[in-house]
């Protein structure tokens, strides 16, 4: 393949050998992949600026024997969250989700542009200390849209066990992370403790969010009880598909517990 170019967002970096950096990238045409930035830890390296986490850049790369090599970068946008610990926590958590949910080298342009859009939306929140509810809403919206784009869109209108159409107004409904969606009362008893009760208001909110343009997230204000339900359902759904927890999830729980 030789030399090639791509646009990408930096998900994470870590030290590699004496002076290099191993960089995990998300690209619309290459998906999630890793490259080596040689000499990037040296003070005068011209690669340092373009490989900071949450930087969007146009990259020049060269095909290597076992891993490709970053040879140049042109920064498009740097989301500088280091001075805001709470914004940084959300961004790190989202990057961890992408790193775990996306297979390597499988392009998914919709996921790339979703992540880019949500970084802009996160940046637009002026003061998370005053508007932590806003950031929690944004996070749950990202979780829901991401899991839908990677093939785990939850079923919210029928029982996933017996296929019965569910009424939001006339019956209690449960949500099964293992089955991938809503469950009627009778089937929830058969499934045992794996199903979680969910209110009609939270289900209606999830349905609306799946259709909604993320830029409109400020127009929808869930109640406190809706947020608490979302903070049980969505992490449980994600953890089932991740098969194990994320370290950054603990940081997210700490933010929520401050409320």
């Amino acid at each position: 393949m030789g030399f090639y170019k791509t646009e990408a967002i930096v998900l994470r970096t870590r030290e590699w050998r004496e002076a290099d950096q191993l960089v995990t990238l998300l690209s619309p045409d290459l998906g999630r992949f890793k490259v080596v930035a040689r000499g990037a830890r040296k003070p005068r390296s011209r690669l340092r600026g373009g490989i900071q986490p949450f930087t969007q850049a146009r990259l020049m790369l060269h095909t290597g024997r076992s891993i490709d090599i970053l040879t140049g970068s042109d920064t498009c946008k740097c989301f500088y969250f280091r001075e805001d610990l709470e914004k940084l926590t959300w961004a790190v958590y989202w990057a961890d989700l992408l790193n775990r949910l996306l297979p390597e080298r499988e392009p998914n342009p919709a996921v790339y542009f979703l992540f880019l859009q949500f970084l802009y939306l996160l940046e637009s929140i002026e003061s998370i200390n005053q508007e932590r509810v806003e950031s929690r809403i944004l996070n749950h919206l990202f979780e829901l849209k991401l899991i839908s784009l990677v093939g785990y869109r939850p079923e919210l209108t029928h029982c996933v066990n017996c296929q019965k159409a569910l009424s939001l107004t006339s019956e209690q409904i449960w949500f099964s992370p293992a089955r991938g969606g809503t469950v009627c009362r009778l089937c929830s008893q058969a499934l045992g403790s794996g199903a979680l009760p969910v209110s009609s208001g939270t289900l209606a909110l999830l349905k609306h969010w799946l259709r909604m343009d993320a830029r409109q997230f400020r127009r929808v204000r869930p109640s406190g009880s809706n947020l608490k339900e979302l903070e049980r359902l969505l992490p449980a759904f994600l953890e089932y598909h991740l098969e194990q927890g994320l370290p950054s999830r603990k940081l997210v729980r700490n933010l929520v517990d401050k409320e």
Side-chain angles (χ1 to χ4, degrees):
M1 190 173 180
F3 288 94
Y4 64 98
K5 298 180 181 180
T6 190
E7 178 183 307
I9 301 170
V10 179
L11 296 181
R12 61 172 58 172
T13 62
R14 68 179 178 89
E15 294 182 358
W16 181 259
R17 297 177 180 169
E18 291 186 4
D20 305 338
Q21 290 272 31
L22 183 65
V23 187
T24 303
L25 301 165
L26 179 64
S27 164
D29 51 344
L30 296 173
R32 179 181 65 85
F33 67 109
K34 295 177 182 177
V35 299
V36 170
R38 288 181 174 170
R41 287 159 54 201
K42 295 179 179 179
R44 295 186 179 182
S45 171
R46 57 187 175 83
L47 298 176
R48 287 171 65 93
I51 61 169
Q52 298 304 308
F54 317 118
T55 296
Q56 179 197 24
R58 289 184 289 270
L59 306 176
M60 286 69 74
L61 304 113
H62 184 264
T63 305
R65 290 184 179 180
S66 59
I67 188 169
D68 291 355
I69 300 163
L70 179 67
T71 60
S73 67
D74 182 13
T75 299
C76 303
K77 170 69 177 177
C78 181
F79 296 93
Y80 193 76
F81 297 138
R82 287 187 178 181
E83 295 182 359
D84 191 320
L85 181 59
E86 295 185 16
K87 286 186 180 182
L88 180 62
T89 298
W90 295 119
V92 168
Y93 171 60
W94 296 348
D96 280 355
L97 284 176
L98 292 165
N99 199 53
R100 290 281 293 278
L101 287 170
L102 297 178
E104 284 202 62
R105 295 275 181 176
E106 288 192 16
N108 192 329
V111 169
Y112 173 83
F113 290 109
L114 177 80
F115 186 45
L116 181 61
Q117 180 186 43
F118 272 75
L119 289 175
Y120 273 105
L121 292 173
L122 182 62
E123 183 183 55
S124 74
I125 298 176
E126 293 184 3
S127 175
I128 283 188
N129 287 325
Q130 296 177 4
E131 294 290 343
R132 189 172 293 128
V133 170
E134 199 169 89
S135 66
R136 288 163 64 190
I137 293 170
L138 191 65
N139 175 60
H140 293 317
L141 186 57
F142 179 80
E143 290 174 328
L144 181 64
K145 288 187 175 292
L146 175 61
I147 57 181
S148 299
L149 287 176
V150 298
Y152 302 126
R153 183 186 179 100
E155 170 58 53
L156 300 173
T157 59
H158 291 75
C159 174
V160 293
N161 196 53
C162 69
Q163 310 307 314
K164 169 189 172 183
L166 299 174
S167 170
L168 296 184
T169 58
S170 63
E171 61 181 307
Q172 174 64 58
I173 299 172
W174 277 256
F175 185 90
S176 170
R179 295 298 181 95
T182 46
V183 180
C184 69
R185 180 179 60 83
L186 290 176
C187 290
S188 71
Q189 295 173 353
L191 292 175
S193 61
L196 304 170
V198 56
S199 68
S200 59
T202 297
L203 278 179
L205 179 65
L206 290 170
K207 290 179 182 180
H208 178 65
W209 275 359
L210 283 171
R211 301 188 302 268
M212 186 182 76
D213 185 329
R215 292 172 295 182
Q216 308 301 318
F217 81 99
R218 289 184 175 91
R219 297 185 180 182
V220 180
R221 283 280 177 159
S223 67
S225 60
N226 289 152
L227 275 176
K228 287 181 180 179
E229 280 193 317
L230 291 171
E231 283 155 6
R232 286 189 301 110
L233 296 181
L234 290 174
F237 192 34
L238 282 164
E239 287 179 14
Y240 175 80
H241 291 290
L242 292 170
E243 297 182 352
Q244 56 181 318
L246 293 173
S248 57
R249 182 65 203 168
K250 295 179 181 179
L251 299 176
V252 168
R253 281 199 296 267
N254 289 338
L255 287 184
V256 173
D257 289 344
K258 290 180 182 179
E259 286 293 299

